[in-house]
């Protein structure tokens, strides 16, 4: 009676039979290690195979461990082994449902599946061997015309043996997103997070853009369940926007991340359909929320019953200064609420962080918003006309620019106050920074980088 051996059993049997000459030449007789060296390091492997008896043992090891029968020519060994191993992994991964065009291609039988997977995993996971793997996979893909076949086929398996599978999977994610099947798109995308093809910068950019588009569509879908009708009070709209778990700020953040990924992607046209679809979803969500919000403001007025922007200094900055605490006050032009959320997440590693909502002044431009953050704004903030233009006023004093605002701080805090730009702060040496700050205990750090990027 004959019993078929599993791949593990064959490897164990081969180990008992022993490969002493292979061990001497390759310093191992582990089948996966030897086969990986044959594929990834052909120069040294060829030298080893020239020794008498080594080649015969290697051929026996490959036959017993992977089901591979070596060709007569030594020159054909590496390409033939690569084709056998890679196509076998592909066939196992798709559970035998290979395209009809490749049905004739030789591949390993089921008992060798685990050994084939282990070998491919070893090649892809070993940093010094990845380039060799990519080269071999591309050669096999070209020889089998898998690239052309994959144009009309959705992703076959989970392991992405060939680049054609990666390209097909990307098209599949785009198709699922366009059809609204976000759960399937997410499942497919998550399977590809560790794909070897992501080591290619261009492929990585494309998958990053696909991820950001999907995240935006998911955020828009979550917001649909949270949307606030225009008939509701203004405060409900504000609280709904800033809700930590399902606020509209998450949609804005996802849109910003997507636009950045789109700007970085050199082959964005591959995903242009998905990119524009996600943009459209964001516009729909934003315009609907804005229309409802404006209706509520038109009916009820502004601001709602929350902390006002003009109260920020008196509520958060003045108390520690009065208590003698050293205080840094960061004034970042155009730092949106959702960007502040991201900043808070980064700062949590350094200590306690809180994010609170404040209702902005109107007009909501940089000039007026920055003036509202000055000392005294809670008591006397107004809009006045100066030389034919509307400008903010605090305590009866026009504050139309950075110089005006610094004048307010200096007048109130004197030598305790130092003004510094964020880029200067980041670039300064420790000695220069100490000299700049001196004994000041109130530092205002300013940046207009975001504002200039948006307006320029």
């Amino acid at each position: 009676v004959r019993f078929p051996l599993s791949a593990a059993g064959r490897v164990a049997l081969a180990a008992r039979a022993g490969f002493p000459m292979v061990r001497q030449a390759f310093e191992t007789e582990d089948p996966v290690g030897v086969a990986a060296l044959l594929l990834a390091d052909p120069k040294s492997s060829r030298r080893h195979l020239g020794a008498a008896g080594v080649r015969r043992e290697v051929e026996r090891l490959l036959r017993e461990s992977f089901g591979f029968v070596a060709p007569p020519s030594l020159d054909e060994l590496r390409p033939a082994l690569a084709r056998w191993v890679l196509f076998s992994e592909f066939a196992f991964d798709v559970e035998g449902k290979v395209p009809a065009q490749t049905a004739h291609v030789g591949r390993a039988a089921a008992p060798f599946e685990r050994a084939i997977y282990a070998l491919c995993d070893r090649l892809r996971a070993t940093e010094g061997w990845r380039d060799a793997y990519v080269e071999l996979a591309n050669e096999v893909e070209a020889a089998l015309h898998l690239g052309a076949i994959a144009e009309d086929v959705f992703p076959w398996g989970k392991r992405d043996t060939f680049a054609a599978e990666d390209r097909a999977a990307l098209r599949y994610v785009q198709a699922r997103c366009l059809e609204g099947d976000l759960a399937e798109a997410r499942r497919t995308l998550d399977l590809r997070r560790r794909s070897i093809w992501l080591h290619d910068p261009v492929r990585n950019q494309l998958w990053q853009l696909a991820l950001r588009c999907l995240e935006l569509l998911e955020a828009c879908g979550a917001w649909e369940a949270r949307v606030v009708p225009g008939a509701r009070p203004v405060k409900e709209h504000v609280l709904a926007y800033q809700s930590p778990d399902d606020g509209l700020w998450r949609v804005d953040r996802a849109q910003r991340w997507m636009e950045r990924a789109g700007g970085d992607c050199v082959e964005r046209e591959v995903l242009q359909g998905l990119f524009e679809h996600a943009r459209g979803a964001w516009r729909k969500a934003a315009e609907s929320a804005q229309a409802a919000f404006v209706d509520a403001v038109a009916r009820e007025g502004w601001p709602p019953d929350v902390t006002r922007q003009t109260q920020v200094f008196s509520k958060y900055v003045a108390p520690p200064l009065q208590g003698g605490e050293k205080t840094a006050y960061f004034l970042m032009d155009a730092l949106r609420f959702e960007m502040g959320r991201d900043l808070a997440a980064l700062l949590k590693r350094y200590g306690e962080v809180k994010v609170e909502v404040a209702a902005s002044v109107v007009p909501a431009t940089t000039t007026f918003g920055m003036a509202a953050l000055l000392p005294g704004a809670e008591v006397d903030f107004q809009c006045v006309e100066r030389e034919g233009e509307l400008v903010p006023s605090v305590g009866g004093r026009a504050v139309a620019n950075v110089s005006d605002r610094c004048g307010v701080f200096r007048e109130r805090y004197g030598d305790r106050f130092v003004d510094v730009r964020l880029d200067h702060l980041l670039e300064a040496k420790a000695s220069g920074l100490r000299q700049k700050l001196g004994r000041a205990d109130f530092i205002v750090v300013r940046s207009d980088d975001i504002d200039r990027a948006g307006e320029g």
Side-chain angles (χ1 to χ4, degrees), residues 196-261:
I196 189 171
W197 304 107
L198 293 184
H199 290 277
D200 180 333
V202 175
R203 301 303 302 170
N204 192 296
Q205 289 173 354
L206 284 167
W207 279 105
Q208 188 68 13
L209 178 56
L211 170 63
R212 295 312 187 192
C213 290
L214 175 59
E215 288 175 341
L216 176 53
L217 293 172
E218 290 172 335
C220 289
W223 172 249
E224 286 182 6
R226 181 70 165 87
V227 68
V228 180
R232 303 303 300 164
V234 173
K235 185 175 180 178
E236 284 193 28
H237 290 268
V238 173
L239 296 180
Y241 183 90
Q242 64 89 46
S243 174
D245 297 325
D246 55 4
L248 184 59
W249 68 272
R250 289 182 172 273
V251 176
D252 282 341
R253 179 179 67 177
Q255 183 265 344
R256 172 168 56 86
W257 285 358
M258 184 194 74
E259 292 292 344
R260 178 171 182 174

Side-chain angles (χ1 to χ4, degrees), residues 115-132:
I116 292 287
Y117 279 174
L119 173 54
C120 291
D121 287 343
R122 178 82 63 88
L123 289 168
R124 288 190 289 257
T126 306
E127 186 171 349
W129 294 348
R130 288 187 190 129
D131 289 345

